[in-house]
Amino acid sequence: MKDITKGKAAFVYASRLSEFKFSPEHPFKPLRVEKVYEMCERKGLFSDPSVKIIKVDEGNEENLGTFHTADYIDLLKRADSGSDVDVDMLYHGIGTMENPIFRGLYQFCVLSVAATLKAVEMVTDGFESAFNPCGGFHHAHSDRAGGFCYVNDAVIAVKKLRELGRRVAYVDIDAHHGDGVQDAFYDDPEVLTVSIHESGRTLFPWGGFENEIGKGRGRGFNINIPMEPDTDDEVFTLLFNDIVMDSVRRFAPDVIVGQFGTDTSATDPLTHLKMTNNGYIEAIELMHKSFPKIVALGGGGYNMKSVVNGWTLLWAELAGLDAGGGYGGAIGGVLMGDSSIEGSDLRDMRSYLSGPKKKELIQSADKLISYYKEKIQLLI
Ligand SMILES: [Zn+2]
């Protein structure tokens, strides 16, 4: 299906999302979206006529029902007051330390889904790609919250694109396994689901192993690449090229829904990988070159500087603009209001492991590549 191009990229900005607060100590900070917006603006990445900022202020509640159960949606509605947690909510993962209730929780869910669906609309209505930084809530299941995720906007986006007749591959490079998306399409051969993440042996959600390859007709259309702790850019790139890119090329989608969490960074406080944003952005660049139509979603990322730099680089790539120049707010971070976000260079310094540990990591990666070639490649 041909999508006539009206512009290069759309940045979907639901600024109200930045106002929500999970809980004071919670690592997930909706405020990051505002910081990303500010950085892109400061870098001049919104000024080109081929890009557009799309503001989203409200959403349609009905969109949640394309994936989530009515009972679960009712629980989210009840949790919106931010006060009373009951046993039913806890049973469905709502009101825990991980997925706390907070004032406006339901509104937060409706709005984040609306922003992701707006990104879908832009891509199917003439933009090459679109980015919703406050999306990618890949751990939510149809009737259960998990891993800071209450509603799964990524699943809802894939379903919408399918409804519109597009062939979709979901590519998830967040440090955590995209379990909610895997479950949604596990027996579906019409959606390719690929997740490259830190192994479930050492990280939530404790699954996403290579032998989870889909079932029934969907066998071979669910791909997991569990990386060992300490994996660096070189090993990630090897796996990304040989498995992610190979599988996506074989599947030949019209559109990619990408979950581009930045928590693979060595600086991330919740994960154990040793990547820099060079490995992160180079993978996205490679994919974007072959598959320009991307609905890009945010995801995890718990070091503010890494998120802001990573997603600014992501936006620059989608927009076809150079993020290298411009002013990064070096005067003590005053302009950002956050002294941890300084300097004009968005790229991390390159850093690689060496020695016996590196050898071990390469051996593990080779095993995953062999497994993919022997068991999965020909099923796609
Ligand atoms: Zn994550």
Side-chain angles (χ1 to χ4, degrees):
M1 189 159 312
K2 274 263 174 285
D3 291 312
I4 301 151
T5 296
K6 286 184 187 162
K8 181 79 178 159
F11 187 104
V12 182
Y13 186 43
S15 60
R16 270 180 56 213
L17 286 169
S18 293
E19 295 162 17
F20 296 94
K21 291 189 176 69
F22 276 42
S23 63
E25 311 76 27
H26 201 282
F28 187 89
K29 309 282 185 210
L31 183 67
R32 8 180 241 165
V33 175
E34 194 180 307
K35 301 283 185 197
V36 172
Y37 180 89
E38 287 170 4
M39 183 62 99
C40 288
E41 199 167 43
R42 185 128 25 95
K43 290 282 184 183
L45 299 173
F46 292 140
S47 53
D48 195 275
S50 68
V51 304
K52 199 167 177 179
I53 299 166
I54 310 289
K55 305 231 171 175
V56 174
D57 295 319
E58 53 187 24
N60 182 346
E61 295 181 35
E62 281 165 26
N63 291 325
L64 273 52
T66 61
F67 176 52
H68 296 283
T69 66
D71 288 350
Y72 178 69
I73 294 169
D74 277 347
L75 288 174
L76 291 172
K77 252 184 226 174
R78 269 166 46 204
D80 193 69
S81 70
S83 50
D84 302 319
V85 179
D86 61 38
V87 177
D88 227 12
M89 290 179 192
L90 289 170
Y91 185 75
H92 292 271
I94 306 165
T96 59
M97 291 275 279
E98 181 182 308
N99 317 305
I101 65 167
F102 54 90
R103 181 173 288 280
L105 183 152
Y106 184 63
Q107 287 313 306
F108 177 82
C109 293
V110 170
L111 199 52
S112 56
V113 167
T116 290
L117 285 176
K118 180 55 85 175
V120 167
E121 187 190 318
M122 299 314 289
V123 168
T124 52
D125 190 32
F127 274 77
E128 186 181 275
S129 63
F131 177 35
N132 169 25
C134 197
F137 294 100
H138 59 168
H139 297 306
H141 295 263
S142 61
D143 63 351
R144 183 162 47 89
F148 321 156
C149 305
Y150 304 87
V151 289
N152 200 319
D153 60 301
V155 170
I156 293 170
V158 172
K159 282 176 173 279
K160 186 70 191 177
L161 285 161
R162 293 284 309 132
E163 194 187 304
L164 295 168
R166 304 308 196 277
R167 185 168 172 81
V168 189
Y170 171 78
V171 176
D172 184 328
I173 65 170
D174 189 281
H176 299 88
H177 172 228
D179 57 341
V181 185
Q182 165 169 310
D183 282 4
F185 303 110
Y186 205 57
D187 57 2
D188 188 349
E190 302 298 326
V191 178
L192 177 72
T193 305
V194 190
S195 179
I196 179 166
H197 47 261
E198 181 180 333
S199 171
R201 283 189 293 101
T202 49
L203 192 69
F204 177 91
W206 319 115
F209 298 103
E210 63 271 27
N211 60 358
E212 298 165 31
I213 65 169
K215 68 176 183 197
R217 289 181 58 237
R219 212 174 125 77
F221 295 91
N222 188 83
I223 298 170
N224 285 313
I225 307 151
M227 298 184 289
E228 294 299 313
D230 296 326
T231 293
D232 66 0
D233 286 347
E234 277 178 339
V235 176
F236 170 84
T237 303
L238 188 69
L239 291 164
F240 189 87
N241 291 350
D242 283 14
I243 308 181
V244 180
M245 286 306 296
D246 184 81
S247 60
V248 174
R249 277 197 197 102
R250 281 166 188 274
F251 188 76
D254 301 320
V255 184
I256 286 176
V257 173
Q259 203 275 21
F260 298 134
T262 62
D263 47 7
T264 44
S265 167
T267 62
D268 196 276
L270 301 190
T271 63
H272 317 98
L273 302 171
K274 291 273 191 307
M275 285 176 58
T276 73
N277 63 19
N278 298 288
Y280 168 86
I281 196 63
E282 283 159 13
I284 293 170
E285 285 166 4
L286 181 70
M287 193 166 69
H288 189 217
K289 213 178 282 168
S290 300
F291 300 95
K293 293 202 82 73
I294 300 181
V295 174
L297 307 174
Y302 307 98
N303 173 298
M304 188 65 93
K305 184 179 178 208
S306 289
V307 180
V308 171
N309 289 357
W311 288 350
T312 304
L313 288 168
L314 164 62
W315 169 249
E317 168 60 23
L318 297 177
L321 300 171
D322 181 12
Y327 177 66
I331 309 172
V334 169
L335 291 174
M336 292 296 287
D338 183 341
S339 60
S340 68
I341 305 169
E342 296 176 10
S344 60
D345 194 0
L346 298 174
R347 294 256 190 167
D348 295 333
M349 206 150 55
R350 286 185 190 269
S351 143
Y352 303 114
L353 261 71
S354 58
K357 182 74 208 172
K358 182 64 169 268
K359 222 172 148 187
E360 254 174 56
L361 290 169
I362 291 176
Q363 278 169 356
S364 304
D366 284 343
K367 266 190 210 161
L368 289 170
I369 293 166
S370 300
Y371 184 89
Y372 166 74
K373 287 187 174 160
E374 283 162 23
K375 309 268 187 194
I376 308 176
Q377 199 177 46
L378 294 175
L379 296 171
I380 304 169

